[in-house]
Every structure is written in C-alpha cells, then in structure tokens.
Amino acid sequence: VPVALITGITGQDGSFLAEQLLAAGWTVVGMRRRSASPNLWRLQAILDRAQFRLVHGDLLDTGSLVRVLSDCQPDHVYNLAAQSFVPTSWEQPVYTGEATGLGCARLLEAVRAVCPGARFYQAGSSEMFGTGGGDVQDVHTPFHPRSPYGVAKVYAHHLTVNYRESYGLFAVGGILFNHESERRGEEFVTRKISRAVARIHLGRQAVLRLGRIDVKRDWGFAGDYTRAIHAMLLQDEPQDHIIATGRAWSVQEFAEKAFAVVDRDWRDHVEHDPALLRPAEITCLKGNPAPARAALGWEPAVDFDGLVVRMVEADLERERRA
Ligand code: NDP
Ligand code: GDP
C-alpha cells in the first residue's frame, strides 16, 4: 500500500486531501505540530481509520522532519503546512519566512537525505503573482508578491523547482488560486462572510465589518483543488501547474450572494472597517486553468454559486447546533 505524508494535516486542504487519498487506497500519515488545545475538528471523519495516523513534527525543527520521514518512508510528501494568513505575515514576517519559506527548505533537505525517491508537492499560491501579471496569470507570469507571505511562497516555489533541477527529485510546485470550503479558517474573507451571514440571520451578530470589497479573487472549492494536488504527483514527469477556475469575483459579490441565501440584502449588514485594509493589496487574481485541465484531466465539480451556498448552509447548521 502506498504511503503519503501530509504536513499541515490539521488545515483545510490537509483534511480533504487525506480523505481522498484514503478513499484511493493510500495509507496516510498526517504531520501536526504540538498544540495545547484540540485542533482535529476537520479530521473527525477519518481519525479512526486504520490506514490513517497522526505524528508530531514541526517545519521549524529539521530533526523532527528527518524522524517523521524515516519512520514512515513515504511515496508521496505533500507540504501543505504554512503560516498561511496574509495579514499575519506583516505582523510576523520573520516567523512567516521561517515556516512558509524555510520550512520547505528543511523538508526538501530531509527528503533528499532520507527518501530521495519520494515525490514531493509544494503548496504554492496565486499570492506569488501579486501585481506581476496581466489580466490572467499562468505559469509564465512573473512573480511580484505583495506580502511577506507571498515572498516566502516564492522562495519555497523556486526552491522546489531548483531541487528538481539540481538533484532530480520528483518535486512539483502547484500554484493554487484561492480555494474555500466550510472547513476554511474563520479569518479568511469567504468564511468570515458565511459565518457572519449565519450568525446575523440567527440574531447572534449585529454587523459584518470588512476591508476592501472591490478586490477580486478566483475562488474555487478546496475539495476540487486537492484532487488536482494528488494528480500532480501522479504525472509521468514532474510539471508545475496553475489550479484555478478562470473567473474572478469581488468580495462584494461573495457577500451579495451569501446574504441572498438567507433572503437578506448585504447592504443592510456590512460596514467598512479601515483597520482591515492591508499595507499592500492585490486587486485582482485570475488564473488560466486550461493547461492543468489538459495535462491532469482535472475538472472542478463545484462552481462559485454552489460554493457560496454550501458554505452558508454549513455555517447555519453549525450555528444552530451550537
Ligand atoms: P491552513 O491555514 O488551513 O493550514 C495550515 C496548516 O499548516 C495547519 O495544519 C497548521 O497547523 C500547519 N502549520 C503551520 N505552521 C506549521 C509548522 N511550523 N509546522 C507544522 N505545521 C504547521 O491552510 P490551507 O489548508 O488553506 O492551505 C494549505 C496550503 O496551501 C498552505 O501552505 C497555504 O498557504 C497554501 N495555499 C492555500 C490556498 C487557499 O486558498 N486555501 C491558496 C494557495 C495556497 P495548526 O493547525 O497547528 O495551525
Ligand atoms: P488572501 O487572498 O489569501 O489574502 O485571502 P483572504 O480571504 O484573507 O482575502 C481575500 C481578499 O479579501 C483580500 O484582497 C482582502 O483584502 C479582502 N478582504 C476584505 N475584507 C476582508 C476581511 O475582513 N478579512 C479578510 N481576510 N480579507 C478581507
């Protein structure tokens, strides 16, 4: 039975990818860092599965990575762990560099030393493009990241490509545009909105404060994107890919559609909060998914409207149970 190691197992993508790999017959080892509080809620569906286990390790601690890789001898390594929230990266740029940038270097070095035959996936981001491209970004678009997070991801991406070219590792950088779900962290704008819609509708919250609502993102469904991640490591040759929908929507449009799910008008509930403006912003990101669709045979199953409805309904359900 093939073995996959997933770093960032407690995060949104880790949980979807683990479920899909288990369904495909893989053994999945999830690496998590030590936490004083429970953070396994996204993994409830698979925690008891015989082919799934959790191990402790931290991207800041090379020895722990060597130990984890030596113990499980994985066929695939998915590096999903990161300090992934853009605003935090201005508050903690050095830590973000350590985890999101150098964390990848530590893991690549450990893979090279312990299991150089393993296939390696690095979770790259459309944030790497920043203001680097035109209307639509593809793998040839230059990077001009606009946050310390984006800068750290550019380093990790280039290093992944460099380890492929230097040492012949089967190492692939996926460049994924924003992908969301009912498992998204609460501070990201889509989940912040879907949660607020549910809470406002049930009388538990008065207003929703947002920063810039004119900015646009190419939003897809996380469960679709993790299928593409797996497909990238099943290619005959290691090749980097953009995963996106090819359409961009504004934050305002997300809010409009989300409030419409409960028959409300977003303008009655949303307030502008200047404290949520960023030191530098990316006004629009939109990726070209055509090459990945052709090379990987990848098709997303959930569209934008379906994503919004799914997220709002999940938060309504959660709030009703709480
Ligand atoms: P999350 O923020 O939900 O998950 C991040 C994971 O990384 C968590 O499991 C977290 O653990 C773990 N982690 C953080 N620091 C460390 C560390 N030092 N050592 C070990 N683990 C650590 O991210 P997503 O699931 O949304 O995204 C997965 C990856 O894809 C990330 O690298 C993200 O930057 C990238 N990405 C995501 C996009 C998106 O739209 N979701 C778009 C493009 C790229 P803990 O629970 O302990 O905090
Ligand atoms: P990002 O694209 O990885 O930074 O994902 P986010 O979900 O954090 O932000 C997406 C966009 O929404 C960014 O351009 C933000 O500036 C914008 N935005 C507007 N208001 C908010 C807010 O209240 N919270 C967050 N997180 N983003 C907001």
Side-chain angles (χ1 to χ4, degrees):
V1 178
V3 176
L5 173 70
I6 302 176
T7 74
I9 191 70
T10 57
Q12 169 184 258
D13 291 8
S15 66
F16 281 109
L17 180 61
E19 286 173 13
Q20 290 161 2
L21 288 169
L22 287 168
W26 285 66
T27 288
V28 176
V29 179
M31 191 188 90
R32 63 166 165 158
R33 54 182 172 169
R34 196 257 165 190
S35 166
S37 311
N39 63 353
L40 301 181
W41 62 274
R42 295 182 175 97
L43 300 170
Q44 288 309 323
I46 55 173
L47 275 179
D48 295 335
R49 296 281 295 274
Q51 303 283 76
F52 179 67
R53 67 190 165 93
L54 290 167
V55 294
H56 279 108
D58 196 305
L59 285 187
L60 270 58
D61 187 325
T62 309
S64 72
L65 303 177
V66 169
R67 217 165 16 251
V68 164
L69 290 169
S70 305
D71 286 351
C72 71
Q73 293 293 332
D75 300 286
H76 284 185
V77 176
Y78 296 92
N79 185 30
L80 308 187
Q83 191 303 94
S84 69
F85 192 48
V86 169
T88 299
S89 77
W90 278 287
E91 290 164 6
Q92 301 175 22
V94 176
Y95 172 73
T96 301
E98 285 286 356
T100 305
L102 286 173
C104 174
R106 295 188 190 94
L107 188 56
L108 278 168
E109 273 295 281
V111 166
R112 195 162 77 85
V114 176
C115 50
R119 296 185 169 200
F120 180 89
Y121 175 84
Q122 165 58 24
S125 164
S126 53
E127 290 284 328
M128 301 191 302
F129 294 125
T131 52
D135 291 346
V136 181
Q137 293 83 45
D138 61 30
V139 281
H140 306 296
T141 304
F143 296 139
H144 186 127
R146 294 272 283 171
S147 65
Y149 167 81
V151 173
K153 283 288 186 189
V154 168
Y155 169 79
H157 178 78
H158 280 314
L159 199 72
T160 302
V161 174
N162 179 260
Y163 270 51
R164 181 168 78 218
E165 294 174 355
S166 302
Y167 304 118
L169 292 191
F170 192 113
V172 173
I175 305 179
L176 272 55
F177 283 61
N178 296 48
H179 44 279
E180 319 294 314
S181 74
E182 59 282 2
R183 300 184 197 172
R184 186 64 142 146
E186 288 174 7
E187 70 273 61
F188 293 90
V189 77
T190 55
R191 183 76 206 292
K192 183 175 173 182
I193 294 170
S194 65
R195 187 163 176 267
V197 167
R199 290 173 59 78
I200 288 170
H201 191 59
L202 298 175
R204 294 183 186 165
Q205 183 173 329
V207 292
L208 167 60
R209 292 190 180 82
L210 295 174
R212 275 186 66 169
I213 58 171
D214 60 322
V215 295
K216 293 188 170 180
R217 290 289 183 275
D218 178 334
W219 276 302
F221 170 57
D224 286 334
Y225 285 44
T226 51
R227 282 193 286 110
I229 290 175
H230 182 43
M232 273 187 245
L233 289 199
L234 297 177
Q235 299 177 98
D236 292 338
E237 299 295 328
Q239 204 185 342
D240 307 325
H241 283 292
I242 300 268
I243 304 298
T245 72
R247 297 188 65 181
W249 306 81
S250 67
V251 172
Q252 178 178 320
E253 284 168 307
F254 193 101
E256 275 174 30
K257 286 178 184 283
F259 277 99
V261 175
V262 294
D263 289 326
R264 285 172 185 265
D265 187 330
W266 71 281
R267 285 167 294 199
D268 297 334
H269 306 288
V270 173
E271 281 180 8
H272 176 65
D273 185 349
L276 293 165
L277 299 177
R278 300 178 176 191
E281 185 55 87
I282 305 172
T283 49
C284 185
L285 287 171
K286 185 164 68 174
N288 174 13
R293 286 185 177 193
L296 306 174
W298 173 76
E299 285 295 333
V302 180
D303 67 7
F304 184 71
D305 286 7
L307 175 66
V308 176
V309 171
R310 177 185 179 116
M311 290 181 70
V312 171
E313 284 181 348
D315 272 316
L316 278 168
E317 169 78 20
R318 264 195 202 108
E319 288 295 327
R320 286 197 176 109
R321 268 191 278 116

PDB file of all heavy atoms in Angstrom, residues 172-186:
ATOM      1  N   VAL A 172       7.259  19.006  -7.359  1.00  0.00           N
ATOM      2  CA  VAL A 172       6.323  19.799  -8.149  1.00  0.00           C
ATOM      3  C   VAL A 172       5.779  20.955  -7.321  1.00  0.00           C
ATOM      4  O   VAL A 172       5.422  20.776  -6.150  1.00  0.00           O
ATOM      5  CB  VAL A 172       5.129  18.911  -8.598  1.00  0.00           C
ATOM      6  CG1 VAL A 172       4.060  19.751  -9.285  1.00  0.00           C
ATOM      7  CG2 VAL A 172       5.606  17.803  -9.510  1.00  0.00           C
ATOM      8  N   GLY A 173       5.717  22.136  -7.943  1.00  0.00           N
ATOM      9  CA  GLY A 173       5.096  23.285  -7.288  1.00  0.00           C
ATOM     10  C   GLY A 173       3.714  23.520  -7.888  1.00  0.00           C
ATOM     11  O   GLY A 173       3.589  23.812  -9.080  1.00  0.00           O
ATOM     12  N   GLY A 174       2.689  23.374  -7.080  1.00  0.00           N
ATOM     13  CA  GLY A 174       1.342  23.723  -7.540  1.00  0.00           C
ATOM     14  C   GLY A 174       1.110  25.188  -7.222  1.00  0.00           C
ATOM     15  O   GLY A 174       1.492  25.654  -6.150  1.00  0.00           O
ATOM     16  N   ILE A 175       0.536  25.920  -8.178  1.00  0.00           N
ATOM     17  CA  ILE A 175       0.215  27.333  -7.909  1.00  0.00           C
ATOM     18  C   ILE A 175      -1.299  27.429  -7.854  1.00  0.00           C
ATOM     19  O   ILE A 175      -1.979  27.504  -8.876  1.00  0.00           O
ATOM     20  CB  ILE A 175       0.815  28.259  -8.981  1.00  0.00           C
ATOM     21  CG1 ILE A 175       2.326  28.004  -9.093  1.00  0.00           C
ATOM     22  CG2 ILE A 175       0.510  29.728  -8.643  1.00  0.00           C
ATOM     23  CD1 ILE A 175       3.034  28.847 -10.145  1.00  0.00           C
ATOM     24  N   LEU A 176      -1.820  27.372  -6.636  1.00  0.00           N
ATOM     25  CA  LEU A 176      -3.264  27.291  -6.457  1.00  0.00           C
ATOM     26  C   LEU A 176      -3.850  28.658  -6.132  1.00  0.00           C
ATOM     27  O   LEU A 176      -3.326  29.393  -5.289  1.00  0.00           O
ATOM     28  CB  LEU A 176      -3.611  26.288  -5.344  1.00  0.00           C
ATOM     29  CG  LEU A 176      -3.758  24.826  -5.813  1.00  0.00           C
ATOM     30  CD1 LEU A 176      -2.519  24.337  -6.557  1.00  0.00           C
ATOM     31  CD2 LEU A 176      -4.100  23.906  -4.664  1.00  0.00           C
ATOM     32  N   PHE A 177      -4.915  28.995  -6.841  1.00  0.00           N
ATOM     33  CA  PHE A 177      -5.660  30.208  -6.534  1.00  0.00           C
ATOM     34  C   PHE A 177      -6.556  29.919  -5.329  1.00  0.00           C
ATOM     35  O   PHE A 177      -6.689  28.780  -4.902  1.00  0.00           O
ATOM     36  CB  PHE A 177      -6.425  30.661  -7.789  1.00  0.00           C
ATOM     37  CG  PHE A 177      -5.507  31.335  -8.785  1.00  0.00           C
ATOM     38  CD1 PHE A 177      -4.438  30.639  -9.353  1.00  0.00           C
ATOM     39  CD2 PHE A 177      -5.668  32.674  -9.113  1.00  0.00           C
ATOM     40  CE1 PHE A 177      -3.561  31.268 -10.230  1.00  0.00           C
ATOM     41  CE2 PHE A 177      -4.802  33.306 -10.000  1.00  0.00           C
ATOM     42  CZ  PHE A 177      -3.745  32.605 -10.555  1.00  0.00           C
ATOM     43  N   ASN A 178      -7.149  30.977  -4.769  1.00  0.00           N
ATOM     44  CA  ASN A 178      -7.905  30.819  -3.511  1.00  0.00           C
ATOM     45  C   ASN A 178      -8.928  29.703  -3.623  1.00  0.00           C
ATOM     46  O   ASN A 178      -9.700  29.651  -4.588  1.00  0.00           O
ATOM     47  CB  ASN A 178      -8.640  32.117  -3.170  1.00  0.00           C
ATOM     48  CG  ASN A 178      -7.693  33.271  -2.906  1.00  0.00           C
ATOM     49  OD1 ASN A 178      -6.778  33.507  -3.678  1.00  0.00           O
ATOM     50  ND2 ASN A 178      -7.914  33.987  -1.825  1.00  0.00           N
ATOM     51  N   HIS A 179      -8.920  28.833  -2.626  1.00  0.00           N
ATOM     52  CA  HIS A 179      -9.940  27.787  -2.594  1.00  0.00           C
ATOM     53  C   HIS A 179     -10.499  27.679  -1.183  1.00  0.00           C
ATOM     54  O   HIS A 179      -9.775  27.759  -0.198  1.00  0.00           O
ATOM     55  CB  HIS A 179      -9.393  26.460  -3.116  1.00  0.00           C
ATOM     56  CG  HIS A 179      -8.046  26.114  -2.598  1.00  0.00           C
ATOM     57  ND1 HIS A 179      -6.887  26.638  -3.128  1.00  0.00           N
ATOM     58  CD2 HIS A 179      -7.665  25.295  -1.595  1.00  0.00           C
ATOM     59  CE1 HIS A 179      -5.857  26.155  -2.471  1.00  0.00           C
ATOM     60  NE2 HIS A 179      -6.294  25.334  -1.529  1.00  0.00           N
ATOM     61  N   GLU A 180     -11.792  27.514  -1.137  1.00  0.00           N
ATOM     62  CA  GLU A 180     -12.558  27.720   0.089  1.00  0.00           C
ATOM     63  C   GLU A 180     -13.445  26.516   0.349  1.00  0.00           C
ATOM     64  O   GLU A 180     -13.631  25.661  -0.513  1.00  0.00           O
ATOM     65  CB  GLU A 180     -13.443  28.968  -0.084  1.00  0.00           C
ATOM     66  CG  GLU A 180     -12.774  30.132  -0.795  1.00  0.00           C
ATOM     67  CD  GLU A 180     -11.625  30.740  -0.005  1.00  0.00           C
ATOM     68  OE1 GLU A 180     -11.805  30.974   1.200  1.00  0.00           O
ATOM     69  OE2 GLU A 180     -10.544  30.987  -0.577  1.00  0.00           O
ATOM     70  N   SER A 181     -14.041  26.499   1.523  1.00  0.00           N
ATOM     71  CA  SER A 181     -14.988  25.438   1.872  1.00  0.00           C
ATOM     72  C   SER A 181     -15.524  25.752   3.257  1.00  0.00           C
ATOM     73  O   SER A 181     -15.091  26.712   3.899  1.00  0.00           O
ATOM     74  CB  SER A 181     -14.294  24.075   1.914  1.00  0.00           C
ATOM     75  OG  SER A 181     -13.483  23.990   3.081  1.00  0.00           O
ATOM     76  N   GLU A 182     -16.413  24.895   3.723  1.00  0.00           N
ATOM     77  CA  GLU A 182     -16.924  25.024   5.085  1.00  0.00           C
ATOM     78  C   GLU A 182     -15.836  24.710   6.100  1.00  0.00           C
ATOM     79  O   GLU A 182     -16.026  24.945   7.297  1.00  0.00           O
ATOM     80  CB  GLU A 182     -18.145  24.116   5.276  1.00  0.00           C
ATOM     81  CG  GLU A 182     -17.906  22.628   5.044  1.00  0.00           C
ATOM     82  CD  GLU A 182     -17.851  22.229   3.575  1.00  0.00           C
ATOM     83  OE1 GLU A 182     -17.963  23.109   2.701  1.00  0.00           O
ATOM     84  OE2 GLU A 182     -17.686  21.020   3.303  1.00  0.00           O
ATOM     85  N   ARG A 183     -14.680  24.224   5.644  1.00  0.00           N
ATOM     86  CA  ARG A 183     -13.566  23.959   6.570  1.00  0.00           C
ATOM     87  C   ARG A 183     -12.513  25.074   6.539  1.00  0.00           C
ATOM     88  O   ARG A 183     -11.441  24.935   7.140  1.00  0.00           O
ATOM     89  CB  ARG A 183     -12.893  22.634   6.207  1.00  0.00           C
ATOM     90  CG  ARG A 183     -13.834  21.459   6.278  1.00  0.00           C
ATOM     91  CD  ARG A 183     -13.099  20.160   6.002  1.00  0.00           C
ATOM     92  NE  ARG A 183     -14.042  19.099   5.678  1.00  0.00           N
ATOM     93  CZ  ARG A 183     -13.703  17.895   5.238  1.00  0.00           C
ATOM     94  NH1 ARG A 183     -12.422  17.601   5.077  1.00  0.00           N
ATOM     95  NH2 ARG A 183     -14.617  17.000   4.960  1.00  0.00           N
ATOM     96  N   ARG A 184     -12.753  26.136   5.821  1.00  0.00           N
ATOM     97  CA  ARG A 184     -11.810  27.251   5.729  1.00  0.00           C
ATOM     98  C   ARG A 184     -11.670  27.923   7.099  1.00  0.00           C
ATOM     99  O   ARG A 184     -12.647  28.016   7.859  1.00  0.00           O
ATOM    100  CB  ARG A 184     -12.360  28.246   4.711  1.00  0.00           C
ATOM    101  CG  ARG A 184     -11.446  29.418   4.362  1.00  0.00           C
ATOM    102  CD  ARG A 184     -10.179  29.004   3.688  1.00  0.00           C
ATOM    103  NE  ARG A 184      -9.774  29.935   2.649  1.00  0.00           N
ATOM    104  CZ  ARG A 184      -8.501  30.210   2.354  1.00  0.00           C
ATOM    105  NH1 ARG A 184      -7.514  29.623   3.021  1.00  0.00           N
ATOM    106  NH2 ARG A 184      -8.205  31.049   1.378  1.00  0.00           N
ATOM    107  N   GLY A 185     -10.483  28.423   7.407  1.00  0.00           N
ATOM    108  CA  GLY A 185     -10.272  29.155   8.650  1.00  0.00           C
ATOM    109  C   GLY A 185     -11.198  30.367   8.737  1.00  0.00           C
ATOM    110  O   GLY A 185     -11.503  30.998   7.720  1.00  0.00           O
ATOM    111  N   GLU A 186     -11.629  30.713   9.941  1.00  0.00           N
ATOM    112  CA  GLU A 186     -12.658  31.747  10.114  1.00  0.00           C
ATOM    113  C   GLU A 186     -12.189  33.158   9.774  1.00  0.00           C
ATOM    114  O   GLU A 186     -12.999  34.065   9.622  1.00  0.00           O
ATOM    115  CB  GLU A 186     -13.165  31.737  11.566  1.00  0.00           C
ATOM    116  CG  GLU A 186     -14.011  30.534  11.879  1.00  0.00           C
ATOM    117  CD  GLU A 186     -14.387  30.460  13.351  1.00  0.00           C
ATOM    118  OE1 GLU A 186     -14.100  31.416  14.108  1.00  0.00           O
ATOM    119  OE2 GLU A 186     -14.971  29.423  13.738  1.00  0.00           O
TER     120      GLU A 186
END
